[in-house]
Short mmCIF file of all heavy atoms in Angstrom, two decimals:
data_model
loop_
_atom_site.label_atom_id
_atom_site.label_comp_id
_atom_site.label_asym_id
_atom_site.label_seq_id
_atom_site.Cartn_x
_atom_site.Cartn_y
_atom_site.Cartn_z
N GLU J 244 13.67 18.55 5.67
CA GLU J 244 13.28 17.00 5.66
C GLU J 244 13.93 16.32 6.75
O GLU J 244 13.40 15.31 7.23
CB GLU J 244 13.76 16.48 4.27
CG GLU J 244 12.79 16.92 3.08
CD GLU J 244 11.34 16.65 3.32
OE1 GLU J 244 11.11 15.49 3.82
OE2 GLU J 244 10.47 17.54 3.16
N LYS J 245 15.15 16.76 7.11
CA LYS J 245 15.73 16.07 8.27
C LYS J 245 15.07 16.28 9.55
O LYS J 245 14.87 15.38 10.43
CB LYS J 245 17.21 16.55 8.36
CG LYS J 245 18.25 16.10 7.28
CD LYS J 245 19.62 16.54 7.44
CE LYS J 245 20.55 16.19 6.33
NZ LYS J 245 21.95 16.68 6.47
N PHE J 246 14.56 17.54 9.78
CA PHE J 246 13.83 17.81 10.94
C PHE J 246 12.39 17.08 10.89
O PHE J 246 11.93 16.77 11.96
CB PHE J 246 13.66 19.28 11.21
CG PHE J 246 14.73 19.94 11.94
CD1 PHE J 246 15.70 20.66 11.23
CD2 PHE J 246 14.88 19.86 13.20
CE1 PHE J 246 16.83 21.26 11.95
CE2 PHE J 246 15.93 20.46 13.94
CZ PHE J 246 16.87 21.12 13.37
N ASN J 247 11.83 16.92 9.65
CA ASN J 247 10.65 16.28 9.49
C ASN J 247 10.74 14.88 9.89
O ASN J 247 9.71 14.23 10.35
CB ASN J 247 10.13 16.40 8.01
CG ASN J 247 8.76 15.89 7.78
OD1 ASN J 247 7.83 16.29 8.58
ND2 ASN J 247 8.59 15.10 6.87
N ALA J 248 11.85 14.23 9.81
CA ALA J 248 12.02 12.86 10.20
C ALA J 248 12.26 12.68 11.62
O ALA J 248 12.26 11.50 12.09
CB ALA J 248 13.24 12.29 9.39
N VAL J 249 12.44 13.76 12.40
CA VAL J 249 12.60 13.69 13.77
C VAL J 249 11.22 13.88 14.48
O VAL J 249 10.57 14.92 14.26
CB VAL J 249 13.59 14.83 14.33
CG1 VAL J 249 13.75 14.81 15.77
CG2 VAL J 249 14.98 14.62 13.64
N GLU J 250 10.96 12.94 15.37
CA GLU J 250 9.66 12.92 16.15
C GLU J 250 9.49 14.22 16.94
O GLU J 250 10.39 14.57 17.73
CB GLU J 250 9.57 11.75 16.97
CG GLU J 250 8.17 11.52 17.50
CD GLU J 250 7.27 10.92 16.42
OE1 GLU J 250 7.74 10.11 15.55
OE2 GLU J 250 6.07 11.19 16.48
N GLY J 251 8.49 15.00 16.69
CA GLY J 251 8.16 16.13 17.62
C GLY J 251 8.71 17.48 17.09
O GLY J 251 8.65 18.44 17.84
N ALA J 252 9.51 17.38 16.00
CA ALA J 252 10.27 18.60 15.49
C ALA J 252 9.54 19.40 14.50
O ALA J 252 10.02 20.15 13.77
CB ALA J 252 11.51 18.26 15.03
N GLY J 253 8.17 19.38 14.57
CA GLY J 253 7.32 19.86 13.48
C GLY J 253 7.35 21.35 13.49
O GLY J 253 7.25 21.97 12.38
N ASP J 254 7.57 22.05 14.71
CA ASP J 254 7.57 23.51 14.66
C ASP J 254 8.78 24.02 14.01
O ASP J 254 8.86 25.07 13.42
CB ASP J 254 7.49 24.06 16.13
CG ASP J 254 8.35 23.46 17.09
OD1 ASP J 254 9.10 22.38 16.74
OD2 ASP J 254 8.38 23.89 18.27
N VAL J 255 10.01 23.37 14.31
CA VAL J 255 11.22 23.80 13.59
C VAL J 255 11.03 23.53 12.08
O VAL J 255 11.41 24.43 11.22
CB VAL J 255 12.34 23.04 14.14
CG1 VAL J 255 13.69 23.36 13.39
CG2 VAL J 255 12.46 23.08 15.61
N LYS J 256 10.51 22.37 11.78
CA LYS J 256 10.30 22.09 10.26
C LYS J 256 9.37 23.07 9.61
O LYS J 256 9.68 23.53 8.48
CB LYS J 256 9.74 20.65 10.08
CG LYS J 256 9.51 20.08 8.74
CD LYS J 256 8.09 20.35 8.28
CE LYS J 256 7.95 19.73 6.92
NZ LYS J 256 6.70 20.13 6.32
N SER J 257 8.47 23.44 10.25
CA SER J 257 7.54 24.49 9.74
C SER J 257 7.95 25.80 9.49
O SER J 257 7.87 26.47 8.45
CB SER J 257 6.26 24.61 10.77
OG SER J 257 5.30 25.64 10.31
N ALA J 258 8.89 26.23 10.43
CA ALA J 258 9.55 27.62 10.28
C ALA J 258 10.67 27.43 9.11
O ALA J 258 10.75 28.46 8.37
CB ALA J 258 10.25 27.98 11.51
#
Side-chain angles (χ1 to χ4, degrees):
E244 288 304 313
K245 290 180 181 179
F246 273 102
N247 188 48
V249 176
E250 195 73 34
D254 50 354
V255 181
K256 183 261 182 190
S257 179

